[in-house]
């Protein structure tokens, strides 16, 4: 008799309760949000003339993430929690239903539940599915062993070793899938979920070892403390991974809101609001530490003519093409902002005027030789104005100088780079 004992039926009930609650919660979380733009009209009915078409609805889902249907693997994860609680429920009916349901089906439900959790995590974290497929391939073997140790050579201890070994393997595979995922998620939440799986895997290894070296188990519901702790560890795992899952989803939505607030949806670069916040931070940092900061201002040559002759759809494609070239060429110390229309401002930290001029020239050549935009018969080009922020110079002053340099580049025939000189700075302060 153990000095410390747990009531397994009570723990079993608590585990079932937590599984159902978290499953229902995650499935409801998967439902479309009432604040989604498609649902804002009174009575959720759109006037026929204003009803968003399928393309617009898809665009809203992909970019705003207001609808949680975009969360990959969440439904599989939620249903796995339900299966994880249904297995112990059938085990608790041992003696009231046949051994097929209370042993084989019950244990296979738990086996499938952990496999589904792993598969859902691979999808959620955008990790390789080879961990999931490897564990899935072993399920027929696990099923055969449960049948064998139930009907051919009945042994509770053997079934415990089979179950503990498989759950340990799936738990460690889940850790690998979580840590190797390519999706950018909150690191602390990823580590916490990985830690929960790792602890559970270690406990399952110890449980299997303890079962092998101890006396044979004759009655599962009155087994030793180690087997009682299995339910407690399973409850801990359910709560931990569900909490971490919701934590990561909320972090993703906050990132999506941040991107909608501070990034331009057409060009995927920072917008004017982000620039205003950056300027405030830049002024604070310049007061504490002097920095060599330069500016590039550019716009697309003859952009109004492109819009007028080829239409705004082609004009948007031109802006997207130029923005893509800038993103792919810009160094890591550079920040790019859409200033308005076809104008872009690039801020470069630790770049003097000569290095910045060379970068502007490289950008000009990259854009000049970029792939042609569909339905556009001419190659888009850009003009550049370059300026360096000098000591005690205001942001408005350097922007005005870069703008004048850009205007001079236009006067010089476009598709050129023009630099604001010290003489121009003196004229500003004259």
């Amino acid at each position: 008799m153990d000095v410390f004992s747990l009531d397994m039926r009570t723990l079993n009930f608590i585990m079932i309760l937590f599984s159902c609650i978290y499953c229902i919660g995650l499935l409801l979380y998967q439902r479309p949000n009432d604040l989604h733009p498609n649902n804002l009209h009174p009575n959720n009915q759109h006037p026929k003339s204003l009803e968003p078409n399928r393309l617009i609805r898809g665009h809203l889902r992909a970019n705003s993430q207001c609808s949680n249907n975009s969360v990959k693997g969440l439904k599989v994860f939620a249903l796995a929690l339900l299966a994880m609680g249904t297995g112990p429920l059938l085990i608790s009916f041992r003696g009231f239903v046949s051994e097929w349901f209370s042993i084989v089906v019950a244990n296979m439900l738990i086996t499938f539940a952990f496999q589904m959790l792993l598969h859902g995590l691979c999808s959620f974290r955008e990790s390789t599915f080879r961990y999931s497929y490897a564990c899935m391939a072993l399920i027929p073997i696990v099923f055969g062993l449960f049948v064998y140790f139930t009907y051919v050579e009945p042994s509770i201890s053997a079934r415990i070793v089979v179950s503990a070994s498989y759950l340990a393997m799936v738990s460690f595979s889940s850790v690998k899938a979580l840590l190797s995922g390519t999706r950018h998620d909150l690191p602390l939440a990823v580590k916490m979920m990985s830690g929960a799986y790792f602890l559970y895997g270690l406990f399952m290894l110890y449980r299997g070892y303890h079962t092998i070296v101890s006396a044979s188990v004759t009655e599962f519901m009155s087994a030793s403390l180690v087997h009682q702790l299995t339910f407690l560890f399973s409850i801990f795992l359910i709560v931990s991974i569900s909490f971490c899952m919701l934590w990561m989803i909320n972090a993703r939505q906050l990132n999506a809101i941040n991107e909608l607030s501070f990034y331009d949806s057409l060009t995927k670069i920072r917008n004017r609001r982000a620039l205003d916040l950056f300027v405030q931070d830049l002024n604070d940092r310049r007061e504490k530490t002097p920095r060599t900061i330069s500016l590039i201002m550019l716009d697309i040559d003859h952009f109004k003519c492109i819009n007028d002759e080829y239409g705004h759809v082609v004009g948007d494609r031109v802006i997207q093409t130029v923005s893509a070239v800038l993103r792919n060429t810009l160094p890591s110390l550079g920040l790019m902002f859409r200033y308005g229309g076809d104008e872009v401002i690039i801020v470069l930290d630790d770049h003097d005027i000569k290095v910045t001029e060379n970068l502007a020239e490289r950008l000009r050549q990259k854009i000049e030789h970029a792939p042609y935009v569909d339905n556009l018969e001419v190659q888009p080009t850009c003009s550049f104005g370059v300026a360096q922020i000098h000591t005690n110079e205001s942001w408005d002053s350097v922007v005005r100088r870069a703008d004048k340099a850009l205007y001079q580049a236009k006067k010089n025939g476009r598709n050129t780079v023009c630099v604001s000189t010290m003489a121009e700075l003196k004229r500003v302060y004259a």
Side-chain angles (χ1 to χ4, degrees):
M1 183 76 178
D2 292 314
V3 176
F4 177 74
S5 181
L6 297 169
D7 181 43
M8 293 183 72
R9 294 190 183 277
T10 302
L11 291 174
N12 201 2
F13 174 77
I14 295 173
M15 181 177 172
I16 297 165
L17 186 64
F18 272 94
S19 298
C20 293
I21 289 174
Y22 280 108
C23 172
I24 294 171
L26 290 173
L27 288 176
L28 290 175
Y29 201 86
Q30 186 81 338
R31 288 166 59 90
N33 195 324
D34 289 338
L35 294 180
H36 190 277
N38 291 353
N39 300 328
L40 292 179
H41 194 271
N43 302 322
N44 289 333
Q45 298 294 322
H46 297 276
K48 188 171 183 180
S49 61
L50 298 178
E51 185 175 1
N53 60 35
R54 185 178 303 172
L55 181 62
I56 295 176
R57 288 197 298 268
H59 178 76
L60 289 169
R61 282 196 297 269
N63 291 280
S64 70
Q65 296 188 17
C66 290
S67 170
N68 294 312
N69 288 326
S70 60
V71 182
K72 296 179 181 179
L74 183 59
K75 185 175 291 185
V76 174
F77 189 90
L79 293 175
L81 292 177
L82 182 62
M84 195 173 174
T86 306
L89 176 64
L90 291 177
I91 292 176
S92 65
F93 283 113
R94 181 83 181 273
F96 299 97
V97 297
S98 66
E99 290 184 341
W100 173 258
F101 286 102
S102 63
I103 297 178
V104 179
V105 174
N107 281 284
M108 288 309 299
L109 275 173
I110 297 173
T111 300
F112 274 115
F114 274 80
Q115 166 60 32
M116 289 170 65
L117 286 174
L118 172 58
H119 198 81
L121 286 176
C122 288
S123 180
F124 179 78
R125 290 282 295 134
E126 296 182 4
S127 174
T128 175
F129 282 91
R130 67 171 178 265
Y131 311 114
S132 176
Y133 295 147
C135 294
M136 190 183 299
L138 296 176
I139 288 180
I141 299 175
V142 174
F143 174 74
L145 290 173
F146 277 130
V147 172
Y148 180 82
F149 290 120
T150 301
Y151 295 107
V152 180
E153 190 177 332
S155 172
I156 296 177
S157 296
R159 293 197 299 265
I160 291 174
V161 172
V162 171
S163 178
S165 301
Y166 183 80
L167 296 187
M169 184 183 67
V170 176
S171 296
F172 292 134
S173 297
S174 299
V175 173
K176 184 66 176 176
L178 281 164
L179 296 180
S180 64
T182 58
R183 183 66 187 258
H184 179 71
D185 282 311
L186 193 67
L188 182 58
V190 174
K191 291 177 182 178
M192 283 185 63
M193 185 182 282
S194 301
Y197 267 113
F198 186 75
L199 290 176
Y200 192 84
L202 288 179
F203 175 76
M204 281 296 149
L205 286 179
Y206 174 75
R207 184 191 180 202
Y209 169 77
H210 175 82
T211 304
I212 292 172
V213 300
S214 301
S216 297
V217 179
T218 56
E219 178 57 46
F220 180 74
M221 296 306 290
S222 58
S224 64
L225 179 61
V226 171
H227 303 297
Q228 297 170 11
L229 286 174
T230 300
F231 289 94
L232 204 59
F233 267 85
S234 297
I235 294 170
F236 162 76
L237 183 67
I238 291 171
V239 174
S240 299
I241 63 177
S242 300
F243 171 77
C244 291
M245 176 65 77
L246 290 173
W247 192 5
M248 284 188 279
I249 292 172
N250 284 333
R252 287 184 183 183
Q253 292 181 334
L254 287 175
N255 285 334
I257 292 171
N258 178 69
E259 289 186 3
L260 286 172
S261 300
F262 299 109
Y263 283 80
D264 177 63
S265 60
L266 178 66
T267 60
K268 310 303 180 186
I269 64 177
R270 293 172 178 84
N271 58 19
R272 186 67 178 265
R273 179 183 296 177
L275 177 62
D276 292 340
L277 291 176
F278 171 79
V279 171
Q280 294 178 13
D281 180 64
L282 177 64
N283 291 334
D284 294 338
R285 286 188 286 124
R286 286 180 63 205
E287 290 179 0
K288 299 175 183 178
T289 307
R291 311 176 71 87
T292 304
I293 297 174
S294 296
L295 210 68
I296 299 175
M297 180 175 283
L298 66 113
D299 71 1
I300 301 171
D301 296 330
H302 303 293
F303 184 69
K304 185 178 184 304
C305 295
I306 292 175
N307 273 336
D308 292 343
E309 184 173 349
Y310 298 98
H312 289 276
V313 173
V314 174
D316 286 346
R317 290 176 185 163
V318 170
I319 294 178
Q320 290 174 326
T321 300
V322 170
S323 300
V325 172
L326 296 175
R327 286 198 310 270
N328 295 332
T329 312
L330 201 64
S332 59
L333 293 177
L335 293 177
M336 183 166 52
F337 305 87
R338 187 177 183 185
Y339 195 59
D342 61 320
E343 286 186 326
V344 174
I345 282 184
I346 299 173
V347 184
L348 297 156
D349 193 7
D350 197 26
H351 281 60
D352 61 24
I353 192 69
K354 188 62 180 176
V355 174
T356 305
E357 181 184 5
N358 292 337
L359 174 61
E361 177 60 26
R362 191 161 74 250
L363 292 172
R364 185 195 67 78
Q365 293 178 13
K366 288 274 188 179
I367 294 170
E368 186 179 20
H369 297 96
Y372 267 65
V373 176
D374 292 343
N375 301 320
L376 185 65
E377 297 175 0
V378 295
Q379 176 64 45
T381 59
C382 289
S383 298
F384 295 77
V386 178
Q388 179 180 331
I389 303 180
H390 293 279
T391 306
N392 298 325
E393 184 180 13
S394 68
W395 173 261
D396 290 342
S397 171
V398 71
V399 169
R400 188 159 53 248
R401 290 195 297 113
D403 192 33
K404 287 185 177 180
L406 173 60
Y407 178 72
Q408 186 61 44
K410 296 284 188 182
K411 289 180 64 177
N412 292 346
R414 294 184 170 83
N415 192 24
T416 57
V417 176
C418 188
V419 178
S420 177
T421 61
M422 287 297 296
E424 177 62 33
L425 178 65
K426 291 177 182 178
R427 282 197 296 271
V428 170
Y429 282 94

